[in-house]
Amino acid sequence: ITSRDAVNIVQRRLRKVKVGHAGTLDPLAEGVLVIALGPASRLVPYVQQQPKDYRATFRFGESSVSGDLEGEIARHPELPKPNRADVDSAAKLLVGRIQQTPPTHSAIWVDGKRAYKRIRAGETFEMPKRTVEVYSIQVLRYEYPEIELDISCGSGTYIRSIGIDLAKSCGTNAVMSFLCRHRVGSFGVDGSTSVENLRTKDLESIIIDPNVAVEHLDQIVVDRTQCTRLGHGLALQGTKPTAKQSEAAAITTSGALRAIVREKRGEWFPYRVFPTD
């Protein structure tokens, strides 16, 4: 199913609750999809800030217009078969802040229209490059023509493009044959629930504490008086941001997320406030 399908399953069961998700998964992919409910949907941008870990398999010597198995596969037996040293060297070149060209068969907006819709309409256009952050690429297995990669990256990175660019560096082509997102920040596959549970199980029993979405932020414990001030849009008293801090999570003494606070004029002011019991 698609990411939108998963959200729709939850939305149909919680008709009066806002439902959103952090990070679209391709229809052929599997793994972690973070779904946010109610006020927690305002935390989606903070989930997106966190690293995403993927396991992906590619086949060298093949290509398709989509970069994966959805498109018609073309085989290129005339292209070289890279050795392991070539592959490892190419992987190192793709780590860091890099320029990446997303696949044309993607949901990126190009001149006001989704790229994949323009392709299906027979249009010709140039995909804009984007800067993405790749934290690490580990070659888990390489037995030509298959290569399996473990990739940790930032939001907006296209895994298909990483495999294809790696292949190009080795003088060949590639298609992605498998993709699993096994972690988004602190949200991992091991702690996930199934699509079937979304359809049938008591949703309240599988909801995760929204604090997990902001574990990467500095945390400030706030008492009842400070909670009230935040609710009124007033600055926190008794704590000041340092020069390196621009945002933090205000947590109540009982462990509930009260607000996201931002530095303003040397003080912490509420940016997003959440209800507490």
Side-chain angles (χ1 to χ4, degrees):
I1 68 172
T2 67
S3 303
R4 186 68 248 175
D5 291 336
V7 170
N8 288 343
I9 290 170
V10 177
Q11 188 72 79
R12 283 192 291 269
R13 298 188 64 190
L14 303 172
R15 294 187 180 278
K16 295 183 179 181
V17 177
K18 184 176 181 180
V19 182
H21 71 82
T24 301
L25 275 175
D26 291 339
L28 292 181
E30 60 184 59
V32 176
L33 177 69
V34 180
I35 296 178
L37 307 178
S41 61
R42 299 164 67 201
L43 295 174
V44 166
Y46 297 92
V47 177
Q48 297 280 46
Q49 292 173 4
Q50 301 183 53
K52 298 176 174 65
D53 297 342
Y54 294 87
R55 189 71 47 80
T57 303
F58 295 86
R59 294 205 303 251
F60 284 169
E62 300 181 8
S63 64
S64 75
V65 292
S66 62
D68 57 21
L69 301 184
E70 281 197 315
E72 184 177 350
I73 305 298
R75 292 177 172 81
H76 308 278
E78 76 283 0
L79 294 177
K81 298 179 180 180
N83 59 38
R84 179 59 187 258
D86 294 333
V87 168
D88 288 338
S89 296
K92 290 178 182 178
L93 295 176
L94 293 171
V95 175
R97 289 180 63 82
I98 63 170
Q99 287 287 301
Q100 183 182 76
T101 302
T104 52
H105 285 66
S106 64
I108 291 176
W109 293 94
V110 180
D111 296 331
K113 193 174 180 180
R114 298 285 191 186
Y116 71 89
K117 290 185 176 180
R118 296 189 63 178
I119 284 290
R120 290 173 182 174
E123 298 181 35
T124 301
F125 57 96
E126 185 176 349
M127 287 294 292
K129 289 183 178 292
R130 56 165 61 182
T131 301
V132 298
E133 187 84 19
V134 179
Y135 305 117
S136 65
I137 300 177
Q138 182 181 0
V139 180
L140 299 178
R141 178 177 57 87
Y142 178 48
E143 298 172 4
Y144 186 88
E146 281 201 343
I147 180 170
E148 185 178 7
L149 305 175
D150 193 278
I151 300 166
S152 179
C153 59
S155 183
T157 306
Y158 275 85
I159 305 302
R160 272 178 288 168
S161 294
I162 287 180
I164 292 168
D165 290 344
L166 188 152
K168 286 180 179 178
S169 295
C170 296
T172 186
N173 293 328
V175 293
M176 186 175 71
S177 55
F178 172 79
L179 178 64
C180 176
R181 182 163 63 198
H182 56 91
R183 183 165 297 279
V184 179
S186 297
F187 299 94
V189 167
D190 292 344
S192 298
T193 194
S194 66
V195 174
E196 185 58 29
N197 282 343
L198 292 183
R199 292 191 175 104
T200 62
K201 199 168 183 179
D202 174 28
L203 293 179
E204 189 170 347
S205 68
I206 56 178
I207 291 176
I208 299 172
D209 192 317
N211 288 7
V212 177
V214 292
E215 284 184 344
H216 61 298
L217 297 180
D218 292 327
Q219 297 196 351
I220 303 169
V221 178
V222 291
D223 59 23
R224 186 180 297 273
T225 299
Q226 290 171 317
C227 282
T228 301
R229 289 184 61 85
L230 290 171
H232 291 159
L234 301 175
L236 287 178
Q237 293 180 324
T239 181
K240 303 283 186 181
T242 67
K244 294 183 179 180
Q245 292 175 308
S246 60
E247 207 165 42
I251 308 295
T252 68
T253 53
S254 62
L257 176 64
R258 176 54 170 158
I260 303 296
V261 293
R262 282 186 170 179
E263 185 278 332
K264 184 178 179 182
R265 299 189 299 273
E267 292 188 286
W268 288 122
F269 276 85
Y271 171 62
R272 292 180 177 172
V273 180
F274 300 92
T276 57
D277 295 334

